[in-house]
Every structure is written in structure tokens, then in C-alpha cells.
Amino acid sequence: MAMNEPKQLSVQELIAQKSNRGLLAFTEKLIPKILLLIATVSVLTTIGIVFTLIFETITFFTEVNVLSFLTGTEWYPFANSTPTYGILPLIVGTLKITAIATFVAVPIGIATAIYLSEYASDRVRRIVKPVLEVLAGVPTIVYGFFALTFVTPILRSVFPEISIFNAISPGIVVGIMVIPMIASLSEDAMTSVPNAMRDGAYALGATKFEVAVKIVLPAALSGIVASIVLAISRAIGETMIVAVAAGSTPGFDWDVTGSIQTMTAYIVQVTTGDAGYGTTIYYSIYAVGFTLFLFTLFMNMLAQFISKRFREEY
Amino acid sequence: MRYINHEEVASKTKKRLTKNTIFKGVFAAATTFGLIVLTILLYRIITQGSGYISLDFFTSFASRIPENSGIKAAIAGSIYLMLVVAPVSMFLGVGTAIYLEEYATKNRFNTFIKINISNLAGVPSVVFGLLGLTIFARFFDLGISILAAGLTMSLLILPIIIVASQEAIRAVPNELREASFAMGATKWQTILRVVLPASIPGILTGSILALSRAIGETAPLVVLGIPTILMFMPDGLLSTFTALPMQIFDWTKRPQVEFHDVAAGGIIVLMALLLFMNSIAVFIRNKYQNRY
């Protein structure tokens, strides 16, 4: 009966049999392995970054005490007699820029997001969104030029006590740079709030403003906060704007009118100068880079955590 | 007996409506802020730098005298840089995207790759510069060359290209893949002849946008130690070079105000280049969008 019947092959098996032959089968097996190899490049990049930073930082710490690096309030690596490497002034400089940038970007970014998601017509949205994209695509060196040659002179004409290199001007411009990021990510979060919730509020007699602020904003809060955290991370890592317009005087104070230095700007200062390979100054850029890397990594992971953990599902 | 105090309701409603109107204006004003800044920025740069845009500007090398300064070496360097970055980053980016979308099963390693890519996208560009300086320039001994800078830039924009390509590949409807399998095609044949052709517009759009990020990126070049005054054209991948953003940075840093105008001239060229690349990207996106 069934045993006597000739062996039946399904079409699928025929295809499998055919494709298992020779070169074709070989490529089918080889391709995924090659692609996996390519995919590991991104992992190798991370490993490369982490190991580079750690190894060179360790070399730096054989010459400079770890504790005095982490708690020192004086950063004078170029001092001839006794160079000091206390990173706190650089961190304070970075925080000044970040604080000013956040102060500028958060209200404008969120207001833009509210307008785009709640008020704007399709036509307005089609004009504004590409403009924001262009603003996000302007190279940071151009923003740096803008800060130094336009924003700083204007600030100085109003407040003469501000010096040519200061924290306010680059801070504001870094803020302008991250506005598109906050606006577009927050808008995404707001648009994904279901219309039923808005309609419910309207049916109870709420105005558009009340719907936006009391319904949409709280519902999209996790996405909005995540966008702010990401923007802060960008501001911490921003290099060219501060390298051009903030100066190179690390100070452990809260003065924003005078020249300051951020972690990123220090790396630029050393690499544009002629600190030789193998000197303590050379290794110090890795220690600063590692600190910077940890800061931004923490912020990025915080943003991911917030948007995952506190997401409201509708 | 009245249950509703009409006067109070009317006054409260009026207040709420006024608030509504005021804030609509505030939100709209905030939205135009970006537009205004962009306009001022472009206007300033064009009025400041347009005087320097001439044929000489493109055919002269950098100089100590502002009037004689040009971007010949910088333009050539930026183009050479793109010749390295475009193939390397697209090969790695599209390859990774195909792996993640078509082959990767849900296991720990693949999840790790995905998390890693999103974290890599958040690493500051100056840190990529440190990576390039240590690994490419020193460890592989490529020095301050086009190849070292190109590989660094490729890794920098890799996450952007991967994510864009993933989205493009994901947008290809499964029916197309199934139809291809039903015709007897193998998986790789399907990817090569069905999935990739269908997703190429999205991949190209994302890649061009990523490349335009790379062409304006300065920090990694600064960290690598790219020179700014260069009196010769690059003649190969291992040649020393300078690039447009690097040249702009150098001119901006100089104390003489005349050099700021030269920098503005360089910025005009850079922005025109970006505009050109972005228009190509937008053109591809609009022409091939929503075919399914």
C-alpha cells in the first residue's frame, strides 16, 4: 500500500534539494556568516572605543593620581613647573554650556512640538518640519562660527561685561542646535497619543490649550523627557561650537560671562596644539575623553530606560 | 433657584479662551524661532562671505593673506574623504542591516548588536576622533591620511546608515519575498534581486543624509591632527590632506577679522554642497516613495 508507492517529493523539498547543490548551496551558507562578520564591526567599534579609552587612561593614571584627577579643582596641564590635572573645572565648564543650552532648547523645543502636533495644519507642518531638519543638519562648525561672529557681539553690545570668549553665547547656540531634536522626538511622542483621549477632553468642554497641556503632555511625558535627556547628552558631547566660542580657560566657578573650557574643547585644544605623543598631556585627552564618554553613555542609557520603563501604552 | 451661575461661567470661559488664544500665539512664536534663526544665520553668512566667492577662491590654496586664500586643497580633500567614506560606510551599514533584518534570529548576541548600535549613535564625534587617532593613525600606522580619517568617519556615520537601511528593508512587503520564494529563489537570491532593489531608494536617501553629516563633521578631523595650511593636492589614500570644515575652523579661530569673512566664504561652499546632497536625497525619496 503506502509503502509501495514511489517516494513523493513536495515542491518545497525539490527546491531545497536543488538549491543544496554546489555553488548555490555554498553561497547560501556563506552569506549569513559574512553578513554576521560585517555586523560585528559595529560591536568591534564599541569595543575599540572602550578599550582605547581605558588603556590610555590607565597610562595617564600611572603619572597622575586618580583621586587628584577626580576631585582636583585646578586644571593647568600646560603649567611649566607643576602641571595640575583636576578635572572638575572641565566638568563645570561642560555643565555651564549644557545648563544654558537646556534652558534655551527645552521650552522652545516642547512649544514647537505642541504647536506641530496639536495646532498646526498639514500645510504648516509640511513647511516647518523640513526647516527643522535643515537646522539639525547645519554642521556644528557653522554654528560655532555663528556663535563667535554673531551671537557674542550682540550679547557684548547689550552686556559689555561679557568677554569675547564666554559660556553664554555657545550655550545659547548649542541650545538652538538641539531644538530640532527635542521638537521632533517630542512631537513623535505627542502624535502617538490616541485621538480618543483628546476627543474625550473636548467633549467635556476643554479648550485646545487645556487638551495640549493637561492631556497630551502628561500622556507623552516619557517620550518628552527621553528627548530632553538625549538633547542634554548631545550638548555634553558638542565640540566645535564650544571649541570656537567658549575659550580655553577652565575655571571652578559658576561665572558664565568669562572664558571657560569644556571637556570636548580641551581635547581640541591639545590636538590642535603640538603636545607630543607619549607626554602626560597627550594621555590626559584620553582620561578626559573617557569621562566624557561615561557622561554621554549614562545619559543615553537613561533616555532609553525612561522611554521604555515609563511608556504609557494605549 | 438657579443651579448654574451664568455670569461666573461666562467669565471663566472667557478667561480660558483668552489663555487658549495667548498660548496658541506663544507656541506659534516658538515654532517660528527656528525659522528665524535659520534665516539670520544664512543671511549673515551669505552677506559676509559672498565677496570671497570667486573662481580664484576655488583654485587657490590656503594662504596667510586673506585675499589670496582659497579652498582648492580643502575641496579636493573633502571629495577624497567621501570617496573612502561612501563605499566603506554603505558596505558595512547595508550589510549589517541585511543581517539584522533578514537573518538575525532573536538571541542574546543579536539583541546586543542592536542595543550597541543605538548606543554607538550617541557617542560624541570627538570620541570617535580619539578612536581613529589611536587605532587607525597609530596602531595601523596610517598616519594623518585620507584613509585613516575616512575609516574614522565611516564608523561615525555607521549607526545612521544601519538604522536607515533597516527601515528601508523592513518597509519591503513580505508578499514580495514570498512570491520570490514561491518561484524557487533561495534566500540570498531573494535578498539580492527582490529586497535590495525594492529598498534601494530608502537606503540611498538615508546614506546620502549620513554622508552629508560626515562632510560637515569637524571634531574627528581636529583630533586626528589634520593640517590646515596645505600647499599641495592629495595624491592617494595615504596622502596627507585637509578638508573643508577643517579649513573653516582654522579661519574662524584666527584673530584677524578678515579671515572670518574667508571662513564665511568657505561656509557658503560647504552649505551649498550640503544643500545639493540633501536635494538629491529628497528627490530620491519623493520619486520612489510609497510604491506599495
Side-chain angles (χ1 to χ4, degrees):
Chain A
M1 300 277 275
M3 289 169 74
N4 297 337
E5 274 177 27
K7 203 182 170 205
Q8 292 273 325
L9 283 173
S10 76
V11 179
Q12 205 180 358
E13 278 167 342
L14 268 171
I15 293 167
Q17 213 179 51
K18 182 172 172 279
S19 61
N20 274 339
R21 257 182 253 141
L23 192 64
L24 205 59
F26 183 66
T27 27
E28 280 305 312
K29 284 210 180 80
L30 189 67
I31 292 286
K33 293 192 177 73
I34 295 175
L35 289 174
L36 175 63
L37 220 59
I38 294 173
T40 42
V41 170
S42 63
V43 179
L44 288 177
T45 308
T46 308
I47 295 174
I49 289 173
V50 172
F51 273 74
T52 306
L53 292 176
I54 289 180
F55 278 135
E56 307 287 43
T57 304
I58 288 174
T59 317
F60 175 72
F61 283 140
T62 59
E63 291 164 36
V64 174
N65 184 284
V66 183
L67 207 65
S68 68
F69 173 75
L70 291 175
T71 59
T73 56
E74 286 186 335
W75 184 265
Y76 299 120
F78 300 103
N80 281 325
S81 49
T82 47
T84 51
Y85 295 91
I87 198 173
L88 289 180
L90 293 184
I91 293 180
V92 166
T94 304
L95 290 183
K96 282 179 201 168
I97 297 289
T98 310
I100 297 168
T102 314
F103 191 72
V104 171
V106 167
I108 298 178
I110 292 180
T112 305
I114 292 177
Y115 186 78
L116 287 179
S117 109
E118 304 301 314
Y119 291 90
S121 63
D122 256 355
R123 211 166 57 91
V124 173
R125 215 172 289 140
R126 266 207 297 275
I127 299 168
V128 173
K129 289 190 100 175
V131 170
L132 287 178
E133 268 175 49
V134 172
L135 210 56
V138 173
T140 56
I141 180 67
V142 178
Y143 277 123
F145 177 83
F146 185 64
L148 182 70
T149 64
F150 183 72
V151 179
T152 300
I154 286 184
L155 287 173
R156 271 160 66 85
S157 66
V158 183
F159 308 101
E161 66 271 24
I162 295 178
S163 42
I164 293 181
F165 297 113
N166 60 73
I168 302 178
S169 163
I172 292 173
V173 175
V174 171
I176 291 171
M177 184 194 79
V178 297
I179 286 173
M181 192 174 192
I182 296 184
S184 80
L185 290 178
S186 297
E187 197 225 333
D188 287 347
M190 289 179 194
T191 331
S192 66
V193 174
N195 265 331
M197 292 180 67
R198 293 188 182 85
D199 295 340
Y202 285 133
L204 291 170
T207 63
K208 204 150 203 174
F209 172 70
E210 286 160 349
V211 170
V213 173
K214 293 179 182 168
I215 307 291
V216 179
L217 217 56
L221 197 63
S222 71
I224 295 170
V225 174
S227 81
I228 295 172
V229 176
L230 276 181
I232 291 176
S233 168
R234 270 291 290 283
I236 292 175
E238 173 42 42
T239 309
M240 295 324 290
I241 301 175
V242 286
V244 166
S248 49
T249 325
F252 191 63
D253 53 48
W254 288 107
D255 173 41
V256 290
T257 56
S259 170
I260 62 148
Q261 190 167 44
T262 65
M263 293 189 270
T264 50
Y266 173 70
I267 297 175
V268 168
Q269 187 196 4
V270 171
T271 47
T272 45
D274 37 28
Y277 172 70
T279 58
T280 313
I281 290 180
Y282 172 81
Y283 288 116
S284 73
I285 60 174
Y286 290 93
V288 173
F290 193 35
T291 315
L292 174 70
F293 177 73
L294 290 180
F295 265 83
T296 53
L297 184 68
F298 173 74
M299 293 313 260
N300 291 339
M301 286 166 78
L302 184 66
Q304 282 167 23
F305 173 75
I306 291 170
S307 63
K308 253 203 198 109
R309 173 70 179 73
F310 297 104
R311 168 170 288 152
E312 307 259 354
E313 297 279 0
Y314 300 105
Chain B
M1 188 173 154
R2 285 168 60 193
Y3 291 96
I4 298 172
N5 184 344
H6 285 282
E7 280 163 26
E8 201 186 329
V9 168
S11 89
K12 272 196 175 164
T13 311
K14 203 179 162 202
K15 249 189 229 160
R16 287 168 55 208
L17 286 175
T18 324
K19 208 172 170 186
N20 186 39
T21 322
I22 291 172
F23 271 94
K24 185 181 178 183
V26 171
F27 294 146
T31 309
T32 49
F33 179 78
L35 197 80
I36 294 166
V37 170
L38 191 65
T39 316
I40 295 174
L41 190 142
L42 293 178
Y43 175 77
R44 272 285 296 191
I45 284 163
I46 289 171
T47 48
Q48 215 178 335
S50 56
Y52 277 89
I53 301 288
S54 65
L55 198 61
D56 283 347
F57 192 59
F58 289 93
T59 55
S60 317
F61 288 110
S63 163
R64 298 207 181 277
I65 306 157
E67 285 73 32
N68 297 347
S69 293
I71 51 170
K72 188 180 179 187
I75 284 270
S78 280
I79 291 170
Y80 264 92
L81 195 62
M82 285 304 110
L83 288 182
V84 174
V85 176
V88 172
S89 64
M90 281 184 74
F91 175 75
L92 293 176
V94 177
T96 306
I98 294 174
Y99 175 76
L100 289 176
E101 288 304 311
E102 300 288 329
Y103 285 103
T105 48
K106 207 173 162 66
N107 62 31
R108 276 215 191 129
F109 182 68
N110 294 330
T111 318
F112 176 68
I113 293 183
K114 282 178 194 166
I115 294 173
N116 174 61
I117 289 166
S118 62
N119 277 324
L120 208 56
V123 174
S125 56
V126 67
V127 173
F128 274 95
L130 289 175
L131 173 80
L133 174 68
T134 323
I135 303 289
F136 297 129
R138 296 217 190 273
F139 186 73
F140 287 120
D141 206 18
L142 298 175
I144 306 168
S145 62
I146 293 170
L147 192 58
L151 292 176
T152 309
M153 286 287 191
S154 302
L155 295 182
L156 174 69
I157 62 169
L158 187 57
I160 312 176
I161 295 190
I162 292 175
V163 172
S165 307
Q166 271 184 291
E167 274 167 19
I169 290 171
R170 218 177 293 147
V172 176
N174 248 333
E175 285 85 343
L176 286 186
R177 291 187 186 84
E178 279 159 11
S180 169
F181 288 138
M183 299 301 285
T186 62
K187 187 153 190 168
W188 177 240
Q189 286 173 333
T190 304
I191 292 170
L192 203 61
R193 297 177 195 170
V194 176
V195 177
L196 274 184
S199 55
I200 210 82
I203 291 175
L204 275 181
T205 307
S207 302
I208 294 172
L209 291 178
L211 287 177
S212 69
R213 159 105 196 269
I215 211 165
E217 192 64 70
T218 324
L221 300 180
V222 175
V223 176
L224 276 170
I226 306 297
T228 44
I229 293 197
L230 213 58
M231 293 305 174
F232 56 86
M233 298 287 274
D235 59 356
L237 289 185
L238 289 173
S239 161
T240 308
F241 75 111
T242 189
L244 205 44
M246 199 63 209
Q247 197 74 70
I248 295 168
F249 174 51
D250 181 61
W251 283 328
T252 307
K253 266 192 327 179
R254 285 171 189 243
Q256 304 99 307
V257 186
E258 295 79 33
F259 271 114
H260 288 174
D261 298 346
V262 187
I267 290 174
I268 294 177
V269 177
L270 180 63
M271 296 288 273
L273 204 61
L274 290 180
L275 188 71
F276 173 69
M277 290 172 79
N278 282 15
S279 346
I280 294 178
V282 170
F283 173 76
I284 294 174
R285 181 161 66 188
N286 289 347
K287 188 158 165 117
Y288 297 99
Q289 207 177 23
N290 297 333
R291 289 229 315 240
Y292 309 108

